[in-house]
Amino acid sequence: AVSGTKNAGKTTQLTKLIPLLRQAGKRVAAIKHDYHGFDIDLPGTDSYRLRQAGALGVAIYSEGQFAVIQQQQNAVAEQMLGYFGDMDLVLLEGGKHTPYPKIEIVRRAISESPVCRADTLIGLCTDCPLFMEGVPTYALDDYDGMAKRVLELLNGG
């Protein structure tokens, strides 16, 4: 997971990390957590109209992609992992309270202290003078270093 407080830069980190992992030959998927709720159906689309009619789940597909929308209270990332069984790595954006291994982003402009449990951290990406025993620290723009760390762990190192 790539975790941190709101506006720490999780999406930016993932958009820089994913291409590096792909260049290393890894098939990568991403799951984003959104505390505020979201709606990917645009008003007027058929999938939107089907949900508005009362369908608790809607799937849309074409030859090259698909999306599933299902109403469910307390949804968790684990429920989506089955869709990515053919991937080498699934990255979760957010999930600071999950038990998954994670890189936490701590950006001075937003916060100066980590919010994740130390025992879940595989890296700390920060512009603050932070040190956590046993947790490698990276500059905010050290995407190569973070990709190398993820690949080491993915390859059993």
Side-chain angles (χ1 to χ4, degrees):
V2 173
S3 302
T5 59
K6 181 179 178 183
N7 296 323
K10 299 178 293 290
T11 301
T12 298
Q13 293 293 332
L14 282 170
T15 62
K16 303 293 186 177
L17 190 59
I18 290 170
L20 296 172
L21 297 169
R22 293 284 294 134
Q23 287 173 12
K26 300 302 179 188
R27 294 176 47 85
V28 181
I31 297 173
K32 177 174 177 38
H33 181 252
D34 188 334
Y35 282 103
H36 307 291
F38 63 93
D39 193 352
I40 63 171
D41 279 336
L42 299 175
T45 62
D46 291 346
S47 57
Y48 179 87
R49 292 175 56 213
L50 294 169
R51 282 200 317 129
Q52 294 303 305
L56 297 177
V58 174
I60 184 169
Y61 67 98
S62 65
E63 187 173 322
Q65 64 185 357
F66 75 93
V68 176
I69 303 165
Q70 181 174 334
Q71 298 294 321
Q72 180 164 345
Q73 294 298 315
N74 304 313
V76 294
E78 290 83 3
Q79 294 168 301
M80 289 161 265
L81 291 175
Y83 291 109
F84 301 119
D86 60 340
M87 298 293 145
D88 297 313
L89 177 65
V90 178
L91 296 171
L92 173 62
E93 180 182 334
K96 62 187 169 198
H97 300 298
T98 68
Y100 298 119
K102 58 187 68 77
I103 294 173
E104 182 172 353
I105 313 293
V106 180
R107 185 179 304 275
R108 180 177 290 127
I110 305 298
S111 171
E112 293 189 20
S113 58
V115 294
C116 299
R117 290 190 349 246
D119 65 323
T120 65
L121 292 178
I122 61 167
L124 188 59
C125 179
T126 186
D127 59 354
C128 298
L130 293 174
F131 172 79
M132 295 179 84
E133 177 113 19
V135 179
T137 302
Y138 304 94
L140 289 173
D141 62 353
D142 187 3
Y143 309 114
D144 288 327
M146 288 180 279
K148 183 178 176 184
R149 175 73 171 143
V150 171
L151 290 168
E152 280 175 4
L153 294 170
L154 189 60
N155 295 323

